[in-house]
Amino acid sequence: MSKQSFLLPLLLLTCTVFAADTVTPFNGKDLAGWTGRGKDGATGGWTVGAARVSPDHPDQLVADAGGDQLINISAGHGKSVDLFTQQKFGDVTVELELMVPKGSNSGVYLMGEYEVQVLDSYGKDDSAGKGDLGAIYNVQAPTSPHYKKPGEWQTLKIEFLAPRFDTAGKKIANAKFTRVELNGSVIQTNVEAPHPTGSQLSNTETPTGPLMFQGDHGAVAYRNIKITPAD
Protein backbone atom coordinates (compact mmCIF):
# COMPACT_ATOMS: atom_id res chain seq x y z
CA MET A 1 0.00 0.00 0.00
CA SER A 2 1.33 3.45 -0.89
CA LYS A 3 1.84 6.12 1.77
CA GLN A 4 -1.04 8.16 0.29
CA SER A 5 -3.36 5.13 0.31
CA PHE A 6 -2.50 4.50 3.95
CA LEU A 7 -3.13 8.10 5.03
CA LEU A 8 -6.54 8.52 3.33
CA PRO A 9 -8.49 6.18 5.68
CA LEU A 10 -6.88 7.88 8.67
CA LEU A 11 -7.97 11.30 7.43
CA LEU A 12 -11.51 10.09 6.86
CA LEU A 13 -11.58 8.51 10.33
CA THR A 14 -10.35 11.76 11.88
CA CYS A 15 -13.13 13.75 10.18
CA THR A 16 -15.71 11.30 11.39
CA VAL A 17 -14.54 11.25 15.00
CA PHE A 18 -14.35 15.02 15.42
CA ALA A 19 -17.46 16.05 13.47
CA ALA A 20 -19.93 18.05 15.61
CA ASP A 21 -23.18 16.34 16.51
CA THR A 22 -26.32 18.02 15.19
CA VAL A 23 -29.01 18.67 17.78
CA THR A 24 -32.71 18.57 16.89
CA PRO A 25 -34.25 20.54 19.78
CA PHE A 26 -37.84 20.02 18.63
CA ASN A 27 -39.08 16.42 18.57
CA GLY A 28 -42.10 17.10 16.32
CA LYS A 29 -44.49 15.72 18.95
CA ASP A 30 -44.63 18.06 21.94
CA LEU A 31 -42.80 20.93 23.66
CA ALA A 32 -40.44 18.75 25.70
CA GLY A 33 -37.11 20.56 26.09
CA TRP A 34 -38.65 24.01 25.66
CA THR A 35 -39.67 26.67 28.16
CA GLY A 36 -42.09 29.53 27.70
CA ARG A 37 -41.20 33.03 28.78
CA GLY A 38 -44.55 33.20 30.52
CA LYS A 39 -45.35 32.80 34.18
CA ASP A 40 -44.01 29.49 35.54
CA GLY A 41 -42.71 28.60 32.08
CA ALA A 42 -46.16 28.57 30.47
CA THR A 43 -45.87 28.18 26.69
CA GLY A 44 -48.76 30.41 25.63
CA GLY A 45 -50.11 29.76 22.14
CA TRP A 46 -47.34 27.40 21.03
CA THR A 47 -48.49 24.00 19.82
CA VAL A 48 -47.61 21.16 17.43
CA GLY A 49 -49.40 20.47 14.16
CA ALA A 50 -49.51 21.30 10.46
CA ALA A 51 -49.55 25.06 9.86
CA ARG A 52 -51.65 26.90 7.32
CA VAL A 53 -52.94 30.43 7.00
CA SER A 54 -56.44 30.93 8.35
CA PRO A 55 -58.92 31.35 5.46
CA ASP A 56 -60.84 33.93 7.49
CA HIS A 57 -57.91 35.79 9.03
CA PRO A 58 -54.84 36.09 6.75
CA ASP A 59 -52.75 37.39 9.66
CA GLN A 60 -53.27 34.20 11.67
CA LEU A 61 -52.26 30.54 11.45
CA VAL A 62 -54.28 27.39 11.97
CA ALA A 63 -52.64 24.27 13.41
CA ASP A 64 -54.17 21.16 11.89
CA ALA A 65 -53.76 17.84 13.67
CA GLY A 66 -51.19 15.30 12.53
CA GLY A 67 -48.32 17.64 11.69
CA ASP A 68 -44.84 17.88 13.16
CA GLN A 69 -44.32 21.65 13.07
CA LEU A 70 -43.77 24.07 15.95
CA ILE A 71 -46.56 26.65 15.66
CA ASN A 72 -47.48 29.80 17.51
CA ILE A 73 -51.19 30.39 16.88
CA SER A 74 -51.12 33.76 18.59
CA ALA A 75 -53.85 36.12 17.38
CA GLY A 76 -51.59 39.14 17.66
CA HIS A 77 -49.18 41.22 19.71
CA GLY A 78 -48.99 40.21 23.37
CA LYS A 79 -51.22 37.16 22.90
CA SER A 80 -48.50 34.54 23.38
CA VAL A 81 -44.96 34.22 24.77
CA ASP A 82 -41.39 33.70 23.63
CA LEU A 83 -40.21 30.09 23.60
CA PHE A 84 -36.65 28.96 24.30
CA THR A 85 -34.65 25.75 24.55
CA GLN A 86 -33.64 24.36 27.91
CA GLN A 87 -30.33 23.40 26.33
CA LYS A 88 -27.71 26.13 25.92
CA PHE A 89 -25.26 26.69 23.09
CA GLY A 90 -22.24 28.80 22.14
CA ASP A 91 -20.82 28.81 18.61
CA VAL A 92 -23.42 27.19 16.35
CA THR A 93 -24.94 26.79 12.95
CA VAL A 94 -28.74 26.97 13.09
CA GLU A 95 -30.85 25.74 10.18
CA LEU A 96 -34.63 25.90 10.00
CA GLU A 97 -37.68 26.68 7.93
CA LEU A 98 -40.19 29.35 8.90
CA MET A 99 -43.64 30.54 7.90
CA VAL A 100 -45.32 33.83 8.77
CA PRO A 101 -48.85 34.89 7.81
CA LYS A 102 -49.62 38.35 6.44
CA GLY A 103 -48.10 41.15 8.51
CA SER A 104 -46.80 38.86 11.25
CA ASN A 105 -43.62 39.26 13.27
CA SER A 106 -41.28 36.89 15.12
CA GLY A 107 -37.55 36.43 15.61
CA VAL A 108 -34.81 33.82 15.97
CA TYR A 109 -32.63 34.71 18.96
CA LEU A 110 -29.17 33.21 19.26
CA MET A 111 -28.36 32.68 22.93
CA GLY A 112 -31.69 34.34 23.68
CA GLU A 113 -30.04 37.73 23.13
CA TYR A 114 -29.15 38.37 19.47
CA GLU A 115 -32.02 38.42 16.98
CA VAL A 116 -32.32 37.54 13.34
CA GLN A 117 -35.60 39.21 12.50
CA VAL A 118 -38.56 37.20 11.22
CA LEU A 119 -41.26 39.27 9.52
CA ASP A 120 -43.64 39.26 6.60
CA SER A 121 -41.37 41.37 4.38
CA TYR A 122 -42.82 40.23 1.06
CA GLY A 123 -42.36 42.86 -1.66
CA LYS A 124 -39.43 44.58 0.08
CA ASP A 125 -36.54 42.84 -1.70
CA ASP A 126 -35.13 46.22 -2.78
CA SER A 127 -35.94 48.20 0.35
CA ALA A 128 -35.28 45.90 3.31
CA GLY A 129 -34.21 47.60 6.52
CA LYS A 130 -32.92 46.70 9.97
CA GLY A 131 -36.37 45.45 11.00
CA ASP A 132 -37.10 43.18 8.03
CA LEU A 133 -36.78 39.44 7.60
CA GLY A 134 -33.13 38.40 7.80
CA ALA A 135 -31.93 41.59 9.46
CA ILE A 136 -29.72 41.46 12.51
CA TYR A 137 -32.35 43.42 14.36
CA ASN A 138 -31.39 47.06 14.99
CA VAL A 139 -27.86 46.32 13.73
CA GLN A 140 -27.69 45.43 10.02
CA ALA A 141 -30.22 45.21 7.18
CA PRO A 142 -30.08 42.12 4.94
CA THR A 143 -28.30 42.39 1.60
CA SER A 144 -30.31 41.48 -1.51
CA PRO A 145 -32.92 39.25 0.18
CA HIS A 146 -35.44 37.23 -1.82
CA TYR A 147 -38.66 37.18 0.18
CA LYS A 148 -41.51 34.75 -0.32
CA LYS A 149 -45.21 35.43 0.09
CA PRO A 150 -46.83 35.17 3.52
CA GLY A 151 -47.90 31.59 4.18
CA GLU A 152 -45.00 30.11 2.20
CA TRP A 153 -42.13 28.27 3.88
CA GLN A 154 -38.76 30.02 3.83
CA THR A 155 -35.32 28.65 4.75
CA LEU A 156 -32.88 30.28 7.15
CA LYS A 157 -29.30 29.26 7.94
CA ILE A 158 -27.32 31.12 10.59
CA GLU A 159 -23.62 30.70 11.38
CA PHE A 160 -22.91 32.36 14.72
CA LEU A 161 -20.01 32.97 17.10
CA ALA A 162 -20.74 33.61 20.77
CA PRO A 163 -19.08 36.55 22.55
CA ARG A 164 -15.68 35.89 24.11
CA PHE A 165 -14.63 36.60 27.69
CA ASP A 166 -11.29 36.70 29.49
CA THR A 167 -10.53 34.78 32.68
CA ALA A 168 -11.93 37.63 34.76
CA GLY A 169 -15.24 37.47 32.90
CA LYS A 170 -14.70 40.68 30.91
CA LYS A 171 -16.01 40.58 27.35
CA ILE A 172 -13.15 40.76 24.85
CA ALA A 173 -15.02 40.03 21.60
CA ASN A 174 -18.58 40.70 20.45
CA ALA A 175 -21.04 38.09 19.29
CA LYS A 176 -20.82 37.73 15.53
CA PHE A 177 -23.09 36.47 12.76
CA THR A 178 -20.44 35.13 10.40
CA ARG A 179 -22.95 34.16 7.71
CA VAL A 180 -26.73 34.22 7.31
CA GLU A 181 -28.55 32.71 4.34
CA LEU A 182 -32.21 33.24 3.47
CA ASN A 183 -33.81 31.01 0.85
CA GLY A 184 -30.36 29.97 -0.34
CA SER A 185 -28.89 33.47 -0.73
CA VAL A 186 -26.28 35.04 1.55
CA ILE A 187 -27.75 38.13 3.21
CA GLN A 188 -25.32 38.77 6.11
CA THR A 189 -21.56 38.31 6.43
CA ASN A 190 -19.39 38.94 9.51
CA VAL A 191 -21.81 41.22 11.34
CA GLU A 192 -20.98 41.89 14.98
CA ALA A 193 -23.66 42.40 17.60
CA PRO A 194 -22.03 44.68 20.20
CA HIS A 195 -24.86 44.11 22.66
CA PRO A 196 -28.24 42.31 22.88
CA THR A 197 -30.45 43.51 20.05
CA GLY A 198 -33.80 44.15 21.76
CA SER A 199 -36.54 42.14 23.52
CA GLN A 200 -33.77 39.79 24.64
CA LEU A 201 -34.19 37.08 27.22
CA SER A 202 -31.90 38.28 29.99
CA ASN A 203 -29.90 41.28 28.71
CA THR A 204 -26.82 39.52 30.05
CA GLU A 205 -24.00 38.45 27.73
CA THR A 206 -22.56 35.04 28.59
CA PRO A 207 -20.54 32.28 26.84
CA THR A 208 -23.64 30.15 26.17
CA GLY A 209 -27.39 30.58 25.95
CA PRO A 210 -30.58 29.05 24.53
CA LEU A 211 -32.13 29.31 21.10
CA MET A 212 -35.28 31.42 21.42
CA PHE A 213 -38.22 32.08 19.12
CA GLN A 214 -40.16 35.29 19.62
CA GLY A 215 -43.83 34.52 20.17
CA ASP A 216 -45.38 37.65 21.67
CA HIS A 217 -45.50 39.63 18.40
CA GLY A 218 -47.66 37.41 16.20
CA ALA A 219 -48.24 34.03 14.61
CA VAL A 220 -45.35 32.00 13.21
CA ALA A 221 -44.42 28.39 12.44
CA TYR A 222 -41.04 26.64 12.43
CA ARG A 223 -39.96 23.21 11.21
CA ASN A 224 -36.84 21.16 10.46
CA ILE A 225 -34.91 22.91 13.22
CA LYS A 226 -31.26 21.80 13.43
CA ILE A 227 -28.49 23.14 15.65
CA THR A 228 -24.90 22.14 15.00
CA PRO A 229 -22.40 23.25 17.67
CA ALA A 230 -19.00 24.25 16.35
CA ASP A 231 -17.21 21.97 18.80
Side-chain angles (χ1 to χ4, degrees), residues 52-76:
R52 60 182 173 89
V53 175
S54 168
D56 301 318
H57 302 281
D59 60 338
Q60 297 179 27
L61 293 177
V62 175
D64 292 329
D68 58 358
Q69 301 156 13
L70 182 60
I71 307 166
N72 180 27
I73 55 172
S74 163

Side-chain angles (χ1 to χ4, degrees), residues 28-101:
K29 299 177 182 179
D30 54 39
L31 299 181
W34 295 80
T35 299
R37 201 173 175 179
K39 184 178 180 180
D40 299 324
T43 54
W46 291 94
T47 188
V48 180
R52 60 182 173 89
V53 175
S54 168
D56 301 318
H57 302 281
D59 60 338
Q60 297 179 27
L61 293 177
V62 175
D64 292 329
D68 58 358
Q69 301 156 13
L70 182 60
I71 307 166
N72 180 27
I73 55 172
S74 163
H77 192 95
K79 302 295 184 180
S80 187
V81 298
D82 301 335
L83 191 71
F84 58 93
T85 61
Q86 294 170 5
Q87 189 172 357
K88 295 183 178 182
F89 306 92
D91 300 348
V92 291
T93 297
V94 175
E95 299 172 83
L96 54 81
E97 294 177 75
L98 63 95
M99 178 204 292
V100 287

